[in-house]
Amino acid sequence: MERERFVQLVKVEQESLRRFLFAMCCGNGCDADDIAQETLIKAYLSLDKYKEKDRFGSWLIKIAHNTFLDHRRRNCPMNELDAAERLASMSAADGKFEYQELHLALDMLSPKERSVMLLHYMQGYSVAEISEITDNSQSAVKKQLERGREHLKLKMKRR
């Protein structure tokens, strides 16, 4: 693939990529930007592995997903208690952080549950596509979606 074609495809997928990573990083724009930049570098350096028959957006999201997991492993992940304390201390009157409660609840999910929930409900990927992106079986993805819904429901009720 030529550089110009890569740039065109990235422009088409950039908003979707950014939205996915922003949600995966639970509203932390700095981390989302860092991971997005690292994702695009990895994608460009791996262009020889991209198959034209594949959907570029799915391929890019798969790289972003793996980059997020790598980033999460390298950095000390926030534990559930820290997230619960932040959720409890939030000011409901502060409209600037409209989705902060949801981001904090998402942050308390495991990275696997969070990623399948966001890929399915926010990005609109099918179970089969999520299976490819996350390198899990379709039954595992369905189970992660089921668990993610239950865990998210419980965490949002605590509020």
Side-chain angles (χ1 to χ4, degrees):
M1 175 185 303
E2 298 293 322
R3 180 184 175 279
E4 294 79 25
R5 179 72 177 136
F6 176 78
V7 170
Q8 286 175 335
L9 291 171
V10 166
K11 283 182 182 179
V12 170
E13 299 297 333
Q14 191 170 5
E15 186 178 322
S16 177
L17 174 69
R18 174 83 168 98
R19 184 176 53 242
F20 172 69
L21 288 172
F22 187 76
M24 284 298 291
C25 294
C26 299
N28 185 329
C30 292
D31 281 352
D33 288 342
D34 288 347
I35 295 169
Q37 183 175 12
E38 191 175 338
T39 297
L40 293 174
I41 291 168
K42 285 180 178 181
Y44 186 73
L45 295 174
S46 301
L47 278 177
D48 59 324
K49 296 176 186 164
Y50 173 67
K51 299 173 191 100
E52 290 290 330
K53 67 177 178 74
D54 292 340
R55 197 169 130 208
F56 183 79
S58 297
W59 180 74
L60 191 60
I61 289 290
K62 180 174 185 156
I63 294 170
H65 176 260
N66 290 333
T67 303
F68 169 80
L69 294 177
D70 291 344
H71 185 266
R72 181 92 179 201
R73 278 188 283 269
R74 281 193 311 262
N75 301 312
C76 182
M78 179 176 36
N79 64 40
E80 189 169 325
L81 182 59
D82 292 340
E85 287 173 2
R86 287 192 323 169
L87 185 60
S89 68
M90 251 180 15
S91 168
D94 192 353
K96 182 179 178 187
F97 299 103
E98 183 178 0
Y99 298 108
Q100 186 174 15
E101 187 174 338
L102 176 60
H103 287 153
L104 290 170
L106 283 168
D107 196 34
M108 290 188 277
L109 297 178
S110 74
K112 283 183 179 184
E113 287 175 357
R114 183 181 333 145
S115 62
V116 298
M117 294 286 288
L118 293 173
L119 288 168
H120 186 69
Y121 291 107
M122 190 169 117
Q123 300 295 105
Y125 285 103
S126 69
V127 170
E129 291 170 316
I130 296 169
S131 173
E132 272 188 47
I133 290 169
T134 61
D135 291 327
N136 287 310
S137 68
Q138 289 187 29
S139 60
V141 169
K142 289 176 186 175
K143 193 66 172 167
Q144 290 163 353
L145 279 169
E146 181 183 324
R147 286 182 186 149
R149 282 189 295 267
E150 284 301 313
H151 290 149
L152 196 57
K153 195 183 312 180
L154 289 172
K155 288 168 188 341
M156 294 299 287
K157 279 184 183 179
R158 288 183 193 165
R159 182 76 179 124

